[in-house]
Amino acid sequence: MVVKVYGSVDASPQRVLACLVEKEIDFEIIPIDLFKGEHKDPEFLKLQPFGQVPVIQDGDYTLYESRAIMRYYAEKFKSQGTELLGKTIEERGLVEQWLEVEAQRFHPPVYKLVVHILLASALGFPSDPKIIQESEAKLGKVLDIYEERLSKSKYLAGDFFSLADLSHLPFNQHLVADLGKEHMIRDRKHVSAWWDDIGNRPSWKKVLQLGVFELPK
């Protein structure tokens, strides 16, 4: 069965796509143009009442929230493709810990950088230099902790690639490719090596080939 993935080929939907590729699961992308407001369409809101992407439909099963979707497929197809949850309960605990760190510590400041550097004009409001400065400072402190962690293990949860690393791919990509903030990765030796590793995985390269982020013209 082919999984339907509703969303744009950017940001949170890319987490899901990378996971599906790693797990060798066939999928079909159903484009949802956020700039045209398609995520607020009544039919889409029947799938996702909060009007956000991604959403998946797997037969008669519907699920939203990108990290929940990743966990679902990593568990459902645990023996297929790349093992993304760890092999022991202790490894699973560390995967979950760093997934929470990504969601609660890394994502909020990097998301604000994307909004105020990349999207503000397209969304019709002025970029706020103070928010950019504060967000970069907060993100820098988070990456300093990553640097310490990655000095002791190849990946965040240990010496194995997991959902914890995969979940960082979309916004790490924005940092180095779109925001002019590549130094935040490159100035940290172990974070830089980690990005060179995960950013060159075949799964991520395949996701990037599906489409690139473009602002509305």
Side-chain angles (χ1 to χ4, degrees):
M1 183 174 293
V2 176
V3 175
K4 293 182 179 180
V5 182
Y6 293 79
S8 55
V9 186
D10 181 58
S12 294
Q14 288 179 312
R15 277 193 196 96
V16 171
L17 298 176
C19 178
L20 293 174
V21 175
E22 290 280 355
K23 299 306 291 182
E24 301 173 0
I25 300 168
D26 293 333
F27 60 87
E28 173 190 4
I29 300 172
I30 311 297
I32 301 294
D33 192 323
L34 304 184
F35 291 107
K36 292 181 180 178
E38 292 177 356
H39 57 305
K40 301 299 183 182
D41 184 273
E43 287 302 310
F44 182 74
L45 290 174
K46 292 178 182 178
L47 298 176
Q48 217 293 17
F50 297 103
Q52 296 177 318
V53 295
V55 180
I56 64 96
Q57 283 189 311
D58 190 340
D60 59 1
Y61 183 67
T62 300
L63 190 65
Y64 54 81
E65 295 294 343
S66 62
R67 297 170 189 84
I69 296 168
M70 290 195 309
R71 287 178 170 104
Y72 170 71
Y73 282 111
E75 187 68 56
K76 182 177 181 179
F77 294 95
K78 192 170 177 60
S79 61
Q80 177 175 310
T82 306
E83 170 56 70
L84 296 171
L85 293 172
K87 295 179 180 179
T88 66
I89 190 65
E90 289 79 15
E91 288 180 349
R92 175 67 179 266
L94 289 171
V95 172
E96 294 292 346
Q97 170 185 280
W98 285 99
L99 270 171
E100 288 298 313
V101 171
E102 184 274 324
Q104 304 297 331
R105 304 291 182 178
F106 174 86
H107 183 76
V110 76
Y111 179 75
K112 287 182 180 179
L113 289 175
V114 169
V115 169
H116 283 271
I117 295 175
L118 200 58
L119 301 179
S121 61
L123 295 175
F125 63 86
S127 178
D128 189 327
K130 183 179 180 182
I131 290 178
I132 292 173
Q133 183 179 18
E134 291 175 349
S135 298
E136 184 167 347
K138 288 179 181 178
L139 181 60
K141 291 179 180 179
V142 173
L143 291 176
D144 286 342
I145 294 172
Y146 280 38
E147 178 69 7
E148 171 66 16
R149 170 59 178 170
L150 292 166
S151 72
K152 299 174 181 176
S153 63
K154 186 175 181 180
Y155 301 102
L156 288 172
D159 290 324
F160 60 98
F161 178 78
S162 74
L163 289 185
D165 309 289
L166 187 154
S167 196
H168 288 80
L169 286 167
F171 284 89
N172 271 11
Q173 185 73 35
H174 275 315
L175 270 180
V176 302
D178 305 313
L179 301 181
K181 301 294 182 184
E182 185 175 9
H183 67 276
M184 298 193 74
I185 299 291
R186 296 307 178 193
D187 289 350
R188 295 167 173 86
K189 175 183 175 181
H190 298 99
V191 172
S192 182
W194 170 67
W195 171 243
D196 285 340
D197 184 316
I198 68 174
N200 282 293
R201 289 185 71 83
S203 62
W204 185 239
K205 290 184 176 181
K206 182 173 181 177
V207 170
L208 293 179
Q209 290 171 357
L210 294 174
V212 295
F213 174 77
E214 292 183 359
L215 288 169
K217 298 177 181 178

